[in-house]
Amino acid sequence: MAEYGISAGQRVAVVWDRSSPVEGLKNLVDKIQALVGPGSRVCVENIDQLSHSAHTESSFDVVLSGLVPGSVTLHSAEVLAEIARILKPGGRVLLKEPVAMQTGDNSRIKTAARLPTSLTLSGLVDVKELQKQPLSPEEAHSAQEHLGYQGNDLVSVQMEGKKPSFEVGSSHQLKLSFAKKSAPSGKPAVDPTAAKLWTLSANDMDDEGMDLLDSDELLDSEDLRKPDPSSLRAPSCKEAGKKRACKNCTCGLAEELAQEKKESLQPKSACGNCYLGDAFRCASCPYMGMPAFKPGEKILLAESNLHDA
């Protein structure tokens, strides 16, 4: 157990999964309990229930995961993030996981290069590989039984990582000085040579060696011609070929369409005697009650007079 670096008085969490042999788990917990002493408690957590545990932030000095002999524990991103959360600032995590030397069909199994990256992305620092060795016969059997992996290219990798010495979300006041610093003696604050490169004066302009263009020469006769005011007016809705007026029509198309609609509602005489007066009009004539008018004269009726007989 010396390689775990556990000392008396530390709080330790042991994480196991369904591939962990019961006897191997019990022996590991007993050995760790003997190291930390009777005054400290060793917590044993199932990896599937770790995120549902009631552990507060910064609860443990050391977390051991997947170290039960014969187990093949896989650590997801959520599990690694939870381990980083319950670790104290400066605390360590030691884990063991089977990895593939190259990408295979089983997406759950990480590659040897991906495992350290996963620990770093979870918030751990000083991530390093402690040991790499082929799977033992017990671990190879567990990989086939619990992971469904039938290949023989898996290796067991033991990793270590530390939580930063500060808590996530902590703050610290920075001592900043905004006093103007004086330039060192003997050295100007601004290099004159550098300043001159960005300075342009009238003396730098050699008029005799430069060809200046008259802006009026760039205009032709078409540019100087006064435009026709009608060409500057925006086309009306009707000129643009629209059959409906705009919402806020100002070109007169809306009034024109309203007048056409009103005229289309005016009835045409069926008997031809409507203009002579009521004595010559039918009983259902819409002009009933109106005075006589000249033939062809346009008479506008109110909408109340337009109804079916």
Side-chain angles (χ1 to χ4, degrees), residues 17-300:
D17 70 342
R18 58 176 183 167
S19 67
S20 303
V22 178
E23 192 64 27
L25 175 61
K26 183 178 181 302
N27 294 336
L28 178 62
V29 173
D30 291 342
K31 292 178 181 178
I32 296 175
Q33 187 66 65
L35 287 173
V36 299
S40 299
R41 183 166 61 93
V42 177
C43 294
V44 182
E45 291 288 350
N46 181 275
I47 195 170
D48 296 327
Q49 300 299 324
L50 182 61
S51 59
H52 303 291
S53 63
H55 300 304
T56 58
E57 294 182 357
S58 306
S59 299
F60 299 97
D61 299 287
V62 180
V63 174
L64 306 178
S65 181
L67 296 180
V68 179
S71 63
V72 284
T73 306
L74 300 180
H75 302 84
S76 63
E78 292 77 12
V79 170
L80 293 175
E82 181 64 16
I83 291 176
R85 186 187 71 85
I86 63 177
L87 271 176
K88 294 181 180 180
R92 299 182 305 116
V93 56
L94 289 94
L95 60 85
K96 187 173 66 172
E97 181 171 334
V99 298
M101 299 307 298
Q102 57 185 2
T103 305
D105 297 335
N106 195 327
S107 59
R108 297 173 54 201
I109 299 178
K110 305 179 185 68
T111 60
R114 182 182 164 195
L115 181 57
T117 304
S118 300
L119 270 70
T120 302
L121 293 178
S122 66
L124 301 174
V125 297
D126 297 337
V127 176
K128 58 183 177 180
E129 180 182 306
L130 299 179
Q131 189 179 24
K132 180 189 292 184
Q133 60 185 12
L135 297 183
S136 65
E138 294 80 5
E139 292 171 342
H141 177 73
S142 295
Q144 295 180 2
E145 181 180 356
H146 299 285
L147 305 181
Y149 193 83
Q150 304 298 329
N152 55 1
D153 61 335
L154 295 183
V155 295
S156 179
V157 176
Q158 184 172 325
M159 304 290 300
E160 179 186 30
K162 294 182 180 180
K163 186 173 181 176
S165 58
F166 55 86
E167 189 57 80
V168 177
S170 61
S171 60
H172 180 72
Q173 185 177 3
L174 299 177
K175 295 182 180 180
L176 301 177
S177 176
F178 296 97
K180 187 176 181 180
K181 297 182 179 180
S182 59
S185 58
K187 183 178 180 181
V190 180
D191 189 353
T193 305
K196 187 177 181 180
L197 293 175
W198 299 98
T199 304
L200 183 65
S201 65
N203 297 329
D204 297 327
M205 302 295 292
D206 186 5
D207 294 340
E208 296 181 358
M210 298 183 63
D211 294 333
L212 300 180
L213 294 178
D214 185 1
S215 58
D216 293 337
E217 296 179 357
L218 301 177
L219 302 176
D220 54 20
S221 58
E222 290 294 332
D223 298 325
L224 299 176
R225 181 180 301 174
K226 186 177 181 180
D228 185 6
S230 61
S231 64
L232 302 178
R233 183 178 59 85
S236 63
C237 299
K238 190 172 184 180
E239 292 173 350
K242 295 183 178 180
K243 297 182 179 180
R244 297 179 59 183
C246 301
K247 184 177 182 180
N248 297 319
C249 180
T250 58
C251 67
L253 180 60
E255 293 80 358
E256 183 178 345
L257 294 178
Q259 182 66 22
E260 292 178 357
K261 181 179 180 181
K262 191 172 183 180
E263 292 179 357
S264 64
L265 296 176
Q266 302 300 320
K268 295 183 179 179
S269 175
C271 60
N273 299 326
C274 299
Y275 69 96
L276 296 176
D278 289 346
F280 300 92
R281 293 170 180 163
C282 305
S284 60
C285 182
Y287 296 100
M288 186 66 70
M290 297 182 65
F293 52 87
K294 296 179 180 180
E297 183 179 358
K298 183 181 295 186
I299 304 298
L300 298 180

